[in-house]
Amino acid sequence: MEKVEDSRTFKFPVSEVETLSFWSQNDCFREQNRRQEGNEEYVFYDGPPFATGLPHYGHILAGTIKDVVTRYAATNGYHVTRRFGWDCHGLPVEYEIDQKLQVKSSDDVKRMGMDVYNEECRSIVMRYSGEWRTTIERLGRWIDFDNDYKTLDTPFMESVWWVFKQLHAKELVYRGFKVMPYSTACHTPLSNFESGLNYKDVNDPAVVVSFPVFLPDGSDGIDGASAYAGIDVAKSRAANASIPAIKNGVIPAGARLCAWTTTPWTLPSNVALCVNPAFTYVAIQSNKSGDVFIVAEARVAELPGYSDGKKKKKGAPDTPPTYTVLHKFPGSDLKGLHYYPLFGTFSKCFTDPLQAYRVCVDGYVTDDSGTGVVHQAPAFGADDNRVCLAHGIIVKGGFIPDPIDDDGRFDEQVSSIGITGIHVKEADKKIVESLKEMKRLVSNNSLVHSYPFCWRSDTPLIYKAVPSWFVKVESIKDRIVANNEKTYWVPSFVKEKRFKDWLVNANDWAVSRNRYWGTPIPIWANDDYSEMEVFGSIAELEERAGLPKGSVTDIHRHKIDHIEVPSRKPGGKPLRRIDEVFDCWFESGSMPYAYIHYPFENKERFEANFPANFIAEGLDQTRGWFYTLMVLSTALFDKPAFQNLVCNGLVLAADGKKMSKRLKNYPDPNLIINSYGADALRLYLINSPVVRAEPLRFKEEGVNGVVRDVFLPWYNAYRFLQQQVERYEMAEGKAFRLTHGSLMELAQSCDNTVDLWVIASASSLVQFIRNEMEHYRLYTVVPRLVGFLESLTNVYLRLNRNRLKGMQEGATDGDCFRALSVLHEVLFLSCRAMSSFTPYIVEMMYQNLRRVMPGSPLESIHYVQFPKADEVIDVATFKVKGGAIDMRTIETSVDRMINILELARQIRNDKGKPVKVPLRRMVICHPDADLIRDLTKVLDIYIKEEMNVEEVVGVSDLGAVAKTKCDPEFSRLGSRAGKRMKEVTTAIRGFGPSEIATLKAGGEVALCGGDLTITVDDVAIKTEYDVAAVAKQHSLAGEYDAKVNDGMLVALDLEQDIKLRSKQAAREIISRAMKLRKSTGLDMGDRADVFVACTANPGEPAWLKEALVQEEATFMEKLKCGVASATLRSSSAVVIGSDEELAVGGEGDAGVNVVVSLAVPTPVASTKCAACSVDAANAYLGMRSRSTLRAECDANGCASFVLDGKKVTLKPGVDFFFSAYDAMKNM
């Protein structure tokens, strides 16, 4: 394996760029698809974004979800076509061009020419496509940009035509005149779902306006001589005589109906008022002015200065009421009541003087706001239009008062009011002033409420009656709802509540737009629509228009609007295309067919793979793309367009506000990727509530947390493997190569409990991911991965560190190789399992892991299949060595061992005994004899090493040290025992060993004369330990402590002696020497002698000298050399480095302060050297390498040199030693 960089200097983003280059050079994405050709298709639809803006976190989130799911499908053997798509038409593009060219109205477009305008639109649609590609590919998403689809491409547009013709043939298309949300900035109506995309709180006027009622006796104060044109005062008075409220005498002289509105700009178009027939209304008189108003009884407080005179606070003075109720009557009694209009702008437009300006009744009027009287302007409200049609105020296809032009400005029809040319939202103030002058303004307030804005121009919408082409959604609504039930959504509540509610209440869909840059609606008609043809293909149009085949290559408006189609009627005028284009939502809803040019191409491919397996977008698409897909697929094929859907929530700034370029309240996505890596960003998003359609407050520290908690532990485990493989190869003198053919084969050959446990842990991770991905629950995977990495690093690597280094005491031949093989296998398995989520880091690790794999490993981890069920261990069924080892028992034993280690750490912490302090004995008590056997005979080596204890003792016969008791589970027994609960409690608490044993074995115990049967689920069995008895039984006579958890006791002997102090000193010296080797840059194969020097007089204590000799085996195992006193270091030895002062052997007087140093291995002269002086011998020995000197001595029995012309002979072990440690041992 290649050397792996230290995690402190390793940069994940830099590595990702290298991996991206590897993918590009080897064409890995396309190669993966080529390898899967011919396999079953997994169909994915990519919802097309606009390329007129840069990608943001919402796009990155959705793209990550799509990439994870499609990568996972590909690694499960599916062929997954992934084509990027671009939404190129519609308001987002036109709005930008309008701003650029300062287009204010349709006249501006006509002046410049539609061809100029549309080509300007075409020029910007792919403006940021390069930036999109760079960001998406850097994110690690595999999708085809070279074979992308665009909604402006002629093949795509032609399929949209085909979709529309099918709808028309099924009689699901009609032209209607409906009140719709209208964008005055974009000069076009919007669909209902578009109007719901951008609500804002606004402050609007809230005015109450009076409407004088015509009274038969003329007491209404209306001057007939000066009445508005078209108003017949006499007829109106006479007509009111038959109205119940008039006949019953409840309408006093001068009474006026009071209507409340937040849209004063609609008042010039008022033609009726509406009340609720079921409400009670009152004629109420102001005690101050004498004015009489008619309002709903529940809304009298809306009148100015209203007070009923009742005390509002205790002790407040009495106040007289400000109004007096004169009469009460039902709203139904007002039906048909004629009133005098406000402005009379349209009074002359009605042929019948009694047709308009009367009271209608309808249940939509509420009493939670306003006055209970609603003014009706049928051109500007859906309910207004419906009510006025129902009451004959207007007639279908007839006149509707509408003084608003396409730009949202008043036209000449209202010139008498002085608001011509003023935008509706700016005219409110002028209209209110006019009402005040006319003395028709009762009150003038303001109201903060939620109001719809245009999702593109961010300007207030109005509701306006416009002619449009509609798809009959209401007629197929039941089928749409039924098809929705066939789909699977994550999270399910979006499907079952939000989306279903929208479908159930869906209205017919307006699919036409009065715009220029879009797919033209393929209808050619005459002026009055009495003759009309719909074309479903370019070929059909060419044939009917008499054009050469293939002559029409672009079907945008400026390319085809001039084409005429001859009438089929004798003498009929040629048919011309209607002006409208398709709403871009209709195009995106047609995407499943249009992106592959169905049915003109790919017919069999489409029909064999529809509906799609998977789609994913944001929550806002429940009223957008998800809706249009479902409507069109139901209308065309009576099927849903997709089978599975993942819906994400909104990514917000850290403060919970919407991300804003202007406010700069979020970090640039590219900076995040360059700082932490794309994998970290992907995993942060996937592991957040946003994948469950909830909002996410994006925090940079969250991305950093993924690096810290996931990638660094994972990377360090991988680096540790490489280091130990390198050490193994140096020690064994041969390359490390795996010999097992599969994980199962490796597991079958294992006899190490912790090896099997970590293999089972990795297998469980794989099984979990498979199950969660089959249910599209991406958000559950990361916590499970973190749990696995904790098991791998904090348990397996920690417990097996010495074994993986080939340094474990008592290890058998090949044990280190098997441990390294297991570590390699679980790392490889984790890479395979996570390849869809974190494609970069797994590729980086795999490229090194594959170097030691047998055979010819695949070139990329992304060619490797996700582990199949039979490739990993099923803990419930897997048997090791013919069933001799039960995997479930292994899991239990290791989990218990982890619990024991935690309890032991707690005892050490409580008693101030860090793990570096060796202890003599640990006692473990538990009634399960098999568990105790595993802990003391199999896992004891790990417990000893991890807790630094010399002996582990187990006790399963608890008779002398514990009592087992039972308590009732009141929640289970309360309803069954009833009044006998006290008796039952006493009996259960009195259970002895036999009853408890029966329950544990799954048996039953009868109580209350056999009326009540108790099982183990009805009781809580507890073991109470006598810690003093445990201590006495196991000779814990001095300092000790114990802790109990989950029925298990762990006790530690805390007494210290010289032997333990020596072990502690050795452990501390080894730790400091290891750190010193690392800090001085020594590699694994570099040799160095280790020395200790006492820093305090009178020098080294005897116990320390003894410890350096007694712990020789430990030093040799860990450091590959002995440790000597620095006083014995040769004067010619080169010191590599030394550390700070260190206390060893215990605290206070028990210990001693030393300095640990490293030196180049140098032979040292004996203090008893007789051949020459010690200094001369050391000078000579310092020039010799240890290996050549040893070879000379092996050959000649001595080493010789010339000193002052004389030959000097040095004998090893007499005149010199090969190391200072050898010298110390022989002193």
Short mmCIF file of all heavy atoms in Angstrom, two decimals, residues 1136-1157:
data_model
loop_
_atom_site.label_atom_id
_atom_site.label_comp_id
_atom_site.label_asym_id
_atom_site.label_seq_id
_atom_site.Cartn_x
_atom_site.Cartn_y
_atom_site.Cartn_z
N ILE A 1136 19.41 12.08 19.21
CA ILE A 1136 18.42 12.48 18.19
C ILE A 1136 17.46 13.51 18.76
O ILE A 1136 17.07 14.47 18.10
CB ILE A 1136 17.64 11.24 17.69
CG1 ILE A 1136 18.61 10.24 17.07
CG2 ILE A 1136 16.56 11.65 16.69
CD1 ILE A 1136 17.95 8.89 16.77
N GLY A 1137 17.07 13.32 20.01
CA GLY A 1137 16.14 14.25 20.62
C GLY A 1137 15.83 13.85 22.04
O GLY A 1137 16.02 12.70 22.44
N SER A 1138 15.39 14.81 22.84
CA SER A 1138 15.00 14.52 24.22
C SER A 1138 13.71 15.26 24.53
O SER A 1138 13.37 16.26 23.88
CB SER A 1138 16.09 14.93 25.19
OG SER A 1138 16.36 16.32 25.08
N ASP A 1139 12.98 14.75 25.52
CA ASP A 1139 11.66 15.30 25.84
C ASP A 1139 11.70 16.08 27.14
O ASP A 1139 12.73 16.14 27.83
CB ASP A 1139 10.66 14.14 25.94
CG ASP A 1139 9.26 14.59 25.58
OD1 ASP A 1139 9.02 15.81 25.54
OD2 ASP A 1139 8.41 13.72 25.32
N GLU A 1140 10.56 16.65 27.48
CA GLU A 1140 10.46 17.39 28.73
C GLU A 1140 10.45 16.42 29.90
O GLU A 1140 10.23 15.21 29.75
CB GLU A 1140 9.17 18.22 28.72
CG GLU A 1140 9.15 19.30 27.66
CD GLU A 1140 7.82 20.04 27.64
OE1 GLU A 1140 6.93 19.65 28.40
OE2 GLU A 1140 7.71 21.01 26.87
N GLU A 1141 10.64 16.96 31.08
CA GLU A 1141 10.68 16.16 32.29
C GLU A 1141 9.38 15.41 32.48
O GLU A 1141 8.29 15.93 32.25
CB GLU A 1141 10.95 17.09 33.49
CG GLU A 1141 11.31 16.36 34.76
CD GLU A 1141 11.73 17.34 35.84
OE1 GLU A 1141 12.89 17.79 35.82
OE2 GLU A 1141 10.86 17.68 36.66
N LEU A 1142 9.50 14.16 32.94
CA LEU A 1142 8.34 13.28 33.08
C LEU A 1142 8.38 12.60 34.43
O LEU A 1142 9.44 12.09 34.85
CB LEU A 1142 8.36 12.22 31.97
CG LEU A 1142 7.40 11.03 32.10
CD1 LEU A 1142 5.97 11.49 31.88
CD2 LEU A 1142 7.77 9.93 31.10
N ALA A 1143 7.24 12.56 35.14
CA ALA A 1143 7.14 11.84 36.41
C ALA A 1143 6.72 10.41 36.11
O ALA A 1143 5.72 10.18 35.43
CB ALA A 1143 6.13 12.51 37.32
N VAL A 1144 7.51 9.44 36.62
CA VAL A 1144 7.19 8.03 36.39
C VAL A 1144 7.13 7.29 37.70
O VAL A 1144 7.74 7.70 38.70
CB VAL A 1144 8.22 7.35 35.45
CG1 VAL A 1144 8.25 8.03 34.09
CG2 VAL A 1144 9.61 7.34 36.06
N GLY A 1145 6.36 6.19 37.70
CA GLY A 1145 6.33 5.30 38.86
C GLY A 1145 5.41 5.71 39.96
O GLY A 1145 5.43 5.14 41.05
N GLY A 1146 4.52 6.71 39.73
CA GLY A 1146 3.57 7.10 40.76
C GLY A 1146 3.72 8.55 41.14
O GLY A 1146 4.63 9.25 40.70
N GLU A 1147 2.76 8.99 41.99
CA GLU A 1147 2.73 10.38 42.40
C GLU A 1147 3.58 10.61 43.65
O GLU A 1147 3.80 9.69 44.46
CB GLU A 1147 1.27 10.80 42.68
CG GLU A 1147 0.34 10.62 41.49
CD GLU A 1147 0.69 11.53 40.34
OE1 GLU A 1147 1.23 12.63 40.60
OE2 GLU A 1147 0.43 11.14 39.19
N GLY A 1148 4.07 11.84 43.85
CA GLY A 1148 4.76 12.23 45.08
C GLY A 1148 6.05 11.46 45.29
O GLY A 1148 6.84 11.23 44.39
N ASP A 1149 6.24 11.04 46.55
CA ASP A 1149 7.49 10.38 46.93
C ASP A 1149 7.66 9.03 46.26
O ASP A 1149 8.77 8.50 46.18
CB ASP A 1149 7.55 10.20 48.46
CG ASP A 1149 7.60 11.55 49.18
OD1 ASP A 1149 8.01 12.54 48.53
OD2 ASP A 1149 7.21 11.59 50.36
N ALA A 1150 6.54 8.45 45.81
CA ALA A 1150 6.62 7.12 45.21
C ALA A 1150 7.29 7.16 43.85
O ALA A 1150 7.87 6.16 43.40
CB ALA A 1150 5.22 6.51 45.08
N GLY A 1151 7.22 8.27 43.16
CA GLY A 1151 7.73 8.34 41.80
C GLY A 1151 9.04 9.08 41.70
O GLY A 1151 9.66 9.44 42.71
N VAL A 1152 9.49 9.30 40.47
CA VAL A 1152 10.74 9.99 40.22
C VAL A 1152 10.62 10.73 38.90
O VAL A 1152 9.90 10.28 37.99
CB VAL A 1152 11.92 9.00 40.18
CG1 VAL A 1152 11.78 8.03 39.02
CG2 VAL A 1152 13.26 9.74 40.08
N ASN A 1153 11.29 11.86 38.75
CA ASN A 1153 11.25 12.64 37.51
C ASN A 1153 12.41 12.24 36.61
O ASN A 1153 13.56 12.19 37.06
CB ASN A 1153 11.32 14.13 37.81
CG ASN A 1153 10.06 14.63 38.50
OD1 ASN A 1153 9.02 13.98 38.42
ND2 ASN A 1153 10.15 15.76 39.17
N VAL A 1154 12.11 11.97 35.36
CA VAL A 1154 13.14 11.58 34.41
C VAL A 1154 12.97 12.35 33.11
O VAL A 1154 11.92 12.93 32.85
CB VAL A 1154 13.09 10.06 34.10
CG1 VAL A 1154 13.27 9.24 35.36
CG2 VAL A 1154 11.79 9.69 33.40
N VAL A 1155 14.05 12.35 32.29
CA VAL A 1155 14.00 12.88 30.93
C VAL A 1155 14.29 11.71 29.99
O VAL A 1155 15.29 11.00 30.17
CB VAL A 1155 15.01 14.02 30.72
CG1 VAL A 1155 15.08 14.39 29.22
CG2 VAL A 1155 14.63 15.23 31.54
N VAL A 1156 13.41 11.51 29.03
CA VAL A 1156 13.59 10.44 28.05
C VAL A 1156 14.27 11.03 26.82
O VAL A 1156 13.92 12.12 26.36
CB VAL A 1156 12.23 9.82 27.65
CG1 VAL A 1156 12.43 8.75 26.58
CG2 VAL A 1156 11.55 9.23 28.87
N SER A 1157 15.28 10.29 26.30
CA SER A 1157 15.97 10.76 25.11
C SER A 1157 16.19 9.61 24.14
O SER A 1157 16.15 8.44 24.52
CB SER A 1157 17.32 11.41 25.47
OG SER A 1157 18.16 10.46 26.11
#
